Amino acid sequence: MLRTILAMLLTAFLACTGQAQPETPPRLLVVLHGGYTDFTVDNLGNIFLLDSSNLLKKITENGDSVAVYNDVRRYGKVYSIDAANPLKIILYYRDFATIVVLDRLLNVRTTIDLRQLQIYQAKAVCQSYDNAYWVYDEGEAKLKRIGDDGSLIEQSGDFRLQLNEAPSPAFIADHNRQVYLYDSSRGVLIFDYFGTLKNKLAFTGWQDFQLVGKFMVGRKGNILERYELTSLLVQEIKLPGILDGAGKIQLSIDHLYCLRNGSLYIYALP
């Protein structure tokens, strides 16, 4: 239901006009200052903010503080945050090849050391359809599914045999019974759960890749691009002044979040 609503809102928001401009620009609601370096938002509107000291803070959409996670000494810098499941927050520490899974109050549920599986080069991880984890092992050029206990559940064949070269995805998502890998230099690679390549889309140079319902969304500078998986329609919209200098953006049901110069700007979508 949430995906349907979001898809409808994105259709209105990113509808292509003759001048590629929104009829009503997003309205700034609030700015959260704090020297933030990364963030993500779950589908309940909770915001997860990572600051320069590697402290992770969870706040509600109303700005109320919920919890803090501050175990900065053990694994170093947080490389990515995945809050696709609001009850299971995934932190990935790339330098230590370690996944730390938190509950909704940011207490540690489990820790997975990928090095115990001889995975030393993993650039992106995400939650899988069965609450396990997808990991792309760049060393072996394989997509692997890892269980909560750190066991290897299954793995694909060597992607170099399918693609003639190994991708280097910065993003993985389990979406609509398929696994999406996004490599900004090679585009979007879509696989089934057995690691068989189903499609390849040449959208290169995107930042902030997202999958929302039947749409893929990415950013190039101050331009948002949207691709509809069913109709193959590509649309774009310029947001100068809002996306200029953005370090990261994310779209939710009715908000646009923009991280710029250490502050998170939250806009209401028209």
Side-chain angles (χ1 to χ4, degrees), residues 213-228:
K214 61 181 180 179
F215 299 105
M216 294 191 316
V217 180
R219 173 173 66 96
K220 283 188 175 181
N222 62 12
I223 298 175
L224 290 179
E225 294 185 348
R226 183 191 72 172
Y227 173 76
E228 187 173 358

Side-chain angles (χ1 to χ4, degrees), residues 5 38 48 62 78 81 83 93 95 146 155 222:
I5 295 172
D38 198 2
F48 300 82
N62 297 321
V78 175
I81 313 166
Y93 295 83
D95 292 342
I146 311 299
Q155 62 183 337
N222 62 12

